[in-house]
Amino acid sequence: MSALRRLAPLGAGLLLLTTACTSGADGPGGGDGGSGPPATDAEAAERAEAVLGEMSLDDKVGQLLVLNAAGTTPDENAQAIADYRPGGLIYFPENLGSPAEIAELSNGLQETAAGEGAGVPLMLGVDQEQGMVARLEEGTRFPDAMAVGATRDTGQAEALASATAAELSAVGINLDYAPVADVNTDADNPVIGIRSFGADPGLVGRMASAEAGAFADGGVVPVVKHFPGHGDTGTDSHTGLPVIEKDRADWERDDLPPFAEAVDAGVDAIMTAHVVMPALDDSGEPATLSPEVIDGVLRDELGYDGVVTTDALNMEGVRQTHDDGEVAVRAVEAGADQLLMPPDPEAAFAAVRSAVDEGRIGEDRLDASVRRILELKAKRGILDAEPVDPDAAAEVFSSDDTAAAAQGLADASVTMLRNEGGALPVDEGARVAVQGVGAEEISAALEDLGVRTTGTASGADLVVVGTNGARGDAEQRRAVEQAASGGAPVAVVAQGTPYDLQALPDVDAYLAVYSSVPVSRTAAARAVAGEVDPKGELPVPIPETGMEYGDGLSY
């Protein structure tokens, strides 16, 4: 049986799950900032064809590049925009100040791009997954994706994405490299972990598609990542090249469903992973450079016709066997449309330009990528973007409703996995010692709730110890052991993955909040005090503990 026929039932089976998300992925692209009105597919195609017809070869090659933004002013980017005419730029913290400053930078960059080549507006992107991956210093901080998974509520995923999109749109950012659709099946995964919604493919698919739809509805292009899956690896592709040794059937069962659901929902863009998966391509090339993975599986088998972007090309996972120019060319040959963060933009531009001149990359192939990029820009209103209002941006970033949504998500995510002797919630009038990771914020939140706190375990009725990665941190484990030696019950608040329970088998109570952002620490305090009934459900099994997917206690 062919691979295509084996995938067909899976796609059909997912159709019912994705119906509710399809309108989101194809829905309105306008927002309060930047983007113009959305276009229908037919209007977007017509507009893209008209723009494509006005572009030179250099303009077309440039559209494939998404470069690191430089500095905090348009002038610092003017030369790169003139030289390479990039399709987009990506922001990092060093580029980002106050909301007004980001808005002014975005406006200036779009004005600069309008004066070069064909004058095509830029995709201005950022990694704002929320939780541990959030580049903007100001704005609402929601918990990580695994906390969203623990709620089992797609409405929480939509709330996160809607609020994030509103803030990004207000400052002229029209693309977010989120959500993560990786299924975290390796407890030792060093790079995904709490960035994943969980270990169940169906849960991850529902949450990722819900977020993607809400981002698009808010005028921000979502990028679902990292195809064909980065959740089952013990290597970080930023520093090495992961090899995922699993057969095709296991991949289809464990990793494929969220991406298949995203394809069915018509998601705007999908990012490749710098991982080797021999079951899909035995050449030894990472998926980013693999025609078998991108053109073969993603486009031909799954039928995806949207924009494919590489993961960052400055990562070691994609730089081990070719120079930077050759990497860019091979990514295009494999089927990628956008080249994210080439470490040497001049080399990438020149290599792709030469490959087109020499016929290695046909002009029709180049046009196909540029057409997809332009259609997406038209569809989400980027081709008609208006300047954003810097003075209004701060108001969007200070919304009480958004802050309440973040706290509501955090409260709903709290998962209680142990409560020996009814250690939680703490009795009225009890003294609680708070130690370890996040102690200051957890203690402050308890005090706000009227709970008496102390920094020392001596004389305490309960000791709360915060952890984050205790499985790999002997000092954190010792802190829990020392807390237990005082005789009072010990409640651990795990603020990273819930797998810390493996290393702390004897604690009296164990709360997982899956994030170290302030609202998650407040949610933990609220659960300790009994203000929140922990209703979260474990989104991953915890090996060697007996804890299974879906476990969770309540008061």
Side-chain angles (χ1 to χ4, degrees):
M1 183 181 293
S2 71
L4 179 59
R5 290 182 179 176
R6 281 193 286 119
L7 287 176
L10 177 61
L14 286 169
L15 184 59
L16 292 176
L17 296 176
T18 61
T19 300
C21 299
T22 303
S23 61
D26 290 332
D32 291 335
S35 296
T40 66
D41 288 348
E43 290 169 341
E46 182 178 358
R47 184 73 184 281
E49 208 62 44
V51 175
L52 184 65
E54 298 297 319
M55 298 176 76
S56 68
L57 182 55
D58 283 351
D59 290 328
K60 293 177 183 180
V61 172
Q63 275 302 295
L64 275 55
L65 303 180
V66 178
L67 307 181
N68 291 68
T72 57
T73 66
D75 286 349
E76 292 171 276
N77 294 273
Q79 192 61 56
I81 292 173
D83 289 345
Y84 309 120
R85 305 168 200 177
L89 298 174
I90 180 171
Y91 289 148
F92 282 91
E94 57 266 28
N95 310 120
L96 304 173
S98 69
E101 290 169 334
I102 301 170
E104 289 170 354
L105 174 61
S106 298
N107 287 342
L109 291 172
Q110 294 290 17
E111 183 178 359
T112 301
E116 299 293 343
V120 181
L122 297 161
M123 286 179 173
L124 295 176
V126 71
D127 284 306
Q128 193 75 1
E129 297 172 14
Q130 290 291 1
M132 66 185 294
V133 179
R135 308 302 190 194
L136 279 69
E137 290 186 7
E138 298 189 35
T140 309
R141 289 294 294 277
F142 281 79
D144 291 83
M146 196 169 283
V148 182
T151 73
R152 298 299 196 273
D153 183 358
T154 55
Q156 295 286 4
E158 291 168 351
L160 179 154
S162 295
T164 304
E167 293 179 349
L168 297 181
S169 293
V171 295
I173 297 174
N174 52 38
L175 181 147
D176 192 359
Y177 291 100
V180 171
D182 300 314
V183 180
N184 200 76
T185 53
D186 187 338
D188 294 318
N189 194 314
V191 66
I192 302 300
I194 55 174
R195 297 169 63 197
S196 166
F197 294 107
D200 178 73
L203 173 70
V204 174
R206 291 191 295 275
M207 293 298 183
S209 287
E211 277 198 12
F215 273 121
D217 283 347
V220 172
V221 171
V223 181
V224 173
K225 59 188 185 184
H226 309 80
F227 186 82
H230 209 314
D232 189 13
T233 171
T235 301
D236 183 348
S237 56
H238 291 84
T239 57
L241 179 57
V243 178
I244 300 175
E245 298 284 1
K246 58 172 36 173
D247 64 29
R248 171 102 187 200
D250 287 344
W251 171 75
E252 290 185 9
R253 182 195 65 221
D254 297 337
D255 302 289
L256 173 61
F259 295 102
E261 185 163 347
V263 170
D264 284 348
V267 69
D268 286 346
I270 292 177
M271 177 184 285
T272 64
H274 305 324
V275 300
V276 173
M277 196 171 288
L280 302 183
D281 178 3
D282 61 5
S283 70
E285 291 282 17
T288 296
L289 306 182
S290 170
E292 286 77 8
V293 173
I294 301 177
D295 273 343
V297 177
L298 182 56
R299 293 213 188 275
D300 293 343
E301 294 183 23
L302 296 179
Y304 184 63
D305 60 359
V307 170
V308 173
T309 178
T310 70
D311 203 344
L313 295 181
N314 62 357
M315 294 165 59
E316 287 305 309
V318 77
R319 304 180 72 197
Q320 303 211 349
T321 55
H322 311 289
D323 64 39
D324 292 330
E326 181 67 10
V327 164
V329 172
R330 287 182 178 241
V332 176
E333 289 181 319
D337 301 308
Q338 288 189 317
L339 306 172
L340 177 62
M341 297 168 59
D344 186 341
E346 182 178 4
F349 182 92
V352 174
R353 180 68 158 81
S354 295
V356 176
D357 287 337
E358 296 164 2
R360 181 176 171 186
I361 296 174
E363 287 200 45
D364 287 347
R365 168 67 190 87
L366 176 64
D367 284 353
S369 281
V370 177
R371 186 177 290 110
R372 279 190 284 263
I373 294 165
L374 294 175
E375 286 183 3
L376 179 53
K377 288 184 176 183
K379 187 175 181 179
R380 294 294 168 225
I382 297 171
L383 291 184
D384 298 306
E386 296 290 335
V388 292
D389 183 353
D391 294 330
E395 296 180 15
V396 177
F397 275 62
S398 59
S399 166
D400 290 340
D401 289 343
T402 301
Q407 189 61 63
L409 192 165
D411 290 349
S413 76
V414 180
T415 308
M416 185 164 64
L417 298 178
R418 181 170 293 159
N419 193 21
E420 298 295 331
L424 297 177
V426 68
D427 293 333
E428 185 176 353
R431 296 182 67 209
V432 178
V434 187
Q435 302 172 350
V437 177
E440 185 174 340
E441 286 178 286
I442 295 170
S443 181
L446 285 169
E447 290 169 1
D448 287 343
L449 295 167
V451 176
R452 293 191 301 162
T453 65
T454 175
T456 175
S458 177
D461 299 296
L462 175 73
V463 183
V464 173
V465 183
T467 67
N468 189 342
R471 288 169 71 239
D473 189 330
E475 186 175 344
Q476 290 188 47
R477 296 195 299 273
R478 282 195 297 271
V480 175
E481 292 169 3
Q482 290 171 0
S485 67
V490 174
V492 164
V493 174
Q495 297 152 62
T497 66
Y499 305 123
D500 281 2
L501 187 60
Q502 287 181 337
L504 307 168
D506 300 322
V507 296
D508 300 284
Y510 188 92
L511 297 175
V513 295
Y514 314 99
S515 192
S516 59
V517 298
V519 292
S520 293
R521 289 170 174 168
T522 297
R526 287 161 60 84
V528 169
E531 293 291 323
V532 163
D533 187 2
K535 296 287 190 180
E537 298 179 31
L538 193 60
V540 295
I542 305 178
E544 304 169 12
T545 66
M547 292 293 172
E548 300 294 336
Y549 175 89
D551 282 353
L553 305 171
S554 59
Y555 296 145

